[in-house]
Structure formats: structure tokens, C-alpha cells
Amino acid sequence: MDGLNHEEKLRLTVHSEVRKMCREVGGQIKMELDKDAVSVIAELVWRKMCVISQDLEHFAKHAKRSTINAEDVKLLARRNPSLRAIVCRMADDAVKKKRQNKEKATEDLS
């Protein structure tokens, strides 16, 4: 792995993790996944992640921000109502948790 650039290392890591997940899921459903099928799934995940990362970057830049935030992720999920609901719920939970941590920190200082 020493001669690989950062992107190639990321790609190999994604492929490795997808293979692990496929083995785990295959075991859970008592089904064996063909090695070629797993390779195709891994490449599909890699390419989808590349598209998603570019979209998120564009959304943030369009909003004149240098940081991707939850609103960008919600925008990404806009065409999939069930996914959008999950993303919105997760974002709301994160905001609540952040607020609770802030309140706790304020109480600890008192």
C-alpha cells in the first residue's frame, strides 16, 4: 500500500470494508455471495460515494460555505422521501444532543 496515493488507499479500504459487510450479511441471511458480485457491489459503493461527495461539496459551495453540514445532506436526500425522513430525524437528534451537551456544560460551570 506504500506506493498508492490517498485516493487509491481509500478505494481499497472501501472495497475491503464492503467485502466484510457482504460476508457478514451473507452469514446472517445464510446465503453465499459470489466473489465477482461482491467486487461489483464494492465498486458500486465506491463510485456512489464519489458522486455523493461531489454533490455535497457543490451544495456547500453554492451556499458559499466551506463546510458541508446537515442541510447539504438533507438536500442530497431530497428525492427519496424515506431516506430524507431518516436524515432529518438524525439531524434533529444531533442538534438536540448538542444542545443538551451545551446545557450540561453550562450547569457544570455553575
Side-chain angles (χ1 to χ4, degrees):
M1 266 181 117
D2 290 338
L4 302 176
N5 66 35
H6 183 66
E7 184 174 334
E8 291 168 332
K9 288 178 184 178
L10 285 174
R11 185 181 196 154
L12 283 176
T13 301
V14 168
H15 276 250
S16 174
E17 292 302 314
V18 168
R19 281 194 298 275
K20 288 178 192 175
M21 291 185 331
C22 286
R23 277 195 300 273
E24 185 176 325
V25 169
Q28 289 173 357
I29 63 172
K30 295 176 177 54
M31 192 86 150
E32 187 177 335
L33 283 90
D34 179 74
K35 186 177 179 180
D36 291 336
V38 172
S39 293
V40 170
I41 293 168
E43 185 61 22
L44 178 67
V45 169
W46 171 254
R47 290 183 186 199
K48 187 64 176 176
M49 285 177 55
C50 290
V51 171
I52 287 171
S53 65
Q54 288 175 347
D55 286 349
L56 290 170
E57 184 179 355
H58 291 304
F59 296 154
K61 283 184 178 180
H62 181 75
K64 300 188 180 5
R65 287 184 276 103
S66 59
T67 303
I68 295 167
N69 65 25
E71 293 305 313
D72 300 317
V73 180
K74 288 178 188 178
L75 186 58
L76 182 71
R78 70 192 179 279
R79 292 190 178 139
N80 185 331
S82 59
L83 179 59
R84 180 164 170 75
I86 293 167
V87 169
C88 288
R89 190 170 40 255
M90 290 175 71
D92 292 345
D93 290 347
V95 168
K96 287 177 190 173
K97 187 173 183 177
K98 192 174 185 179
R99 190 177 308 127
Q100 289 170 346
N101 288 343
K102 242 183 209 180
E103 290 171 0
K104 185 177 181 205
T106 303
E107 289 173 5
D108 290 345
L109 292 175
S110 305

